[in-house]
Amino acid sequence: MIRTWRPARSPARSGTAGRRPSAPVTHTLIVLCAALFLAGPAAGLNPAFGSGEELLAAQRSYFHRWGVVPADLFTGAPRAALTPLTALFVHGSWVHLLGNMLFLYVFGAMTEERMGRVQFTLFCLGCGYLALLGYAAANEDSTQPLVGASGAISAVLGAFLFLFPTARVTSLLPFLLLLPLRFPAWVVLPFWVAVQWVAASRAEAGPGVAYLAHLVGFGLGFGYAWARFGRRTRVRSTRAPAPEGENKP
């Protein structure tokens, strides 16, 4: 989901969980990320960025300008301090974009309705910023740009797990021939976290998926939901279709 690069509405209740929650912030974030991707060089559709080597150079420049470069982040430069925010809206490939937006679409709607629009917006931006900041702090010498909304989306997954632990989640498991199976969120999302943990422990330096940012974001999201809503206001739900796993560009 995240990649590093080389070159107050009323809460949803079980009786209403079958309908699709109103989620204008979620939908706006999806449209904004998609529009920026299509207009940028990563999509390869804008002739203003040229083609071939010229396009590759434009992509590298674009990711370095708007993505997080850990080696530059802690220099005190104001522009660098903003990059954990701007990087949330930058994606490196079609698979990267579609994977992130799929997770946001599925898990964001119910979480947004439970939190409310303003709180959900600040939650996504704040947790996304801190997730990228955490990754940069752990890789402070890296010069590889980091882009993607996965830190924020992982926070949404964490909050979803706390708020809707019994929601039924549709999962596609590779070792079961990608058969769609439905499990409670308390089964699927901890499994997703375990996959991220194992992948993070085996990750090598260089371009790839920033699994550590996923873990930081998930922890922030779960912790925020626990602190903000507490056990007494946890919502039970039975319907929340979603895929499981990681869409790795």
Side-chain angles (χ1 to χ4, degrees):
M1 293 167 67
I2 285 179
R3 291 187 59 116
T4 53
W5 285 86
R6 178 184 298 276
R9 297 180 61 94
S10 60
R13 292 181 170 83
S14 58
T16 61
R19 66 176 177 80
R20 188 70 188 173
S22 174
V25 175
T26 297
H27 298 154
T28 299
L29 290 174
I30 291 173
V31 170
L32 180 59
C33 287
L36 291 175
F37 177 79
L38 292 175
L45 300 178
N46 190 337
F49 295 104
S51 60
E53 291 298 323
E54 185 181 9
L55 177 60
L56 293 176
Q59 291 174 349
R60 288 192 293 268
S61 176
Y62 184 76
F63 297 138
H64 274 85
R65 179 177 182 182
W66 301 111
V68 178
V69 180
D72 298 337
L73 183 59
F74 302 105
T75 61
R79 192 200 68 79
L82 290 176
T83 56
L85 183 61
T86 60
L88 296 175
F89 301 95
V90 178
H91 291 83
S93 70
W94 285 94
V95 175
H96 189 205
L97 173 74
L98 294 176
N100 275 355
M101 295 306 100
L102 174 62
F103 272 73
L104 179 58
Y105 175 77
V106 170
F107 290 101
M110 290 177 65
T111 306
E112 177 184 343
E113 187 170 59
R114 181 66 184 89
M115 288 186 177
R117 298 174 185 176
V118 175
Q119 184 178 176
F120 181 75
T121 302
L122 296 176
F123 166 79
C124 287
L125 297 180
C127 288
Y129 186 102
L130 292 175
L132 297 185
L133 189 67
Y135 177 89
N139 300 272
E140 59 181 347
D141 295 328
S142 175
T143 59
Q144 307 300 331
L146 176 68
V147 300
S150 296
I153 296 171
S154 297
V156 172
L157 300 187
F160 187 96
L161 175 61
F162 181 83
L163 296 172
F164 308 101
T166 60
R168 305 296 293 185
V169 178
T170 300
S171 308
L172 300 176
L173 303 178
F175 53 84
L176 291 179
L177 303 178
L178 296 179
L179 295 177
L181 301 174
R182 291 177 67 79
F183 298 100
W186 66 265
V187 173
V188 173
L189 292 179
F191 176 78
W192 178 85
V193 172
V195 171
Q196 305 306 301
W197 183 274
V198 172
S201 65
R202 297 180 177 179
E204 299 178 354
V209 179
Y211 296 105
L212 178 60
H214 299 178
L215 294 172
V216 173
F218 188 92
L220 289 171
F222 188 91
Y224 176 84
W226 176 80
R228 172 64 179 83
F229 297 97
R231 295 181 178 276
R232 291 177 298 176
T233 58
R234 186 181 299 182
V235 177
R236 291 181 177 273
S237 176
T238 56
R239 298 177 185 273
E244 182 279 330
E246 181 74 352
N247 288 278
K248 180 178 180 182

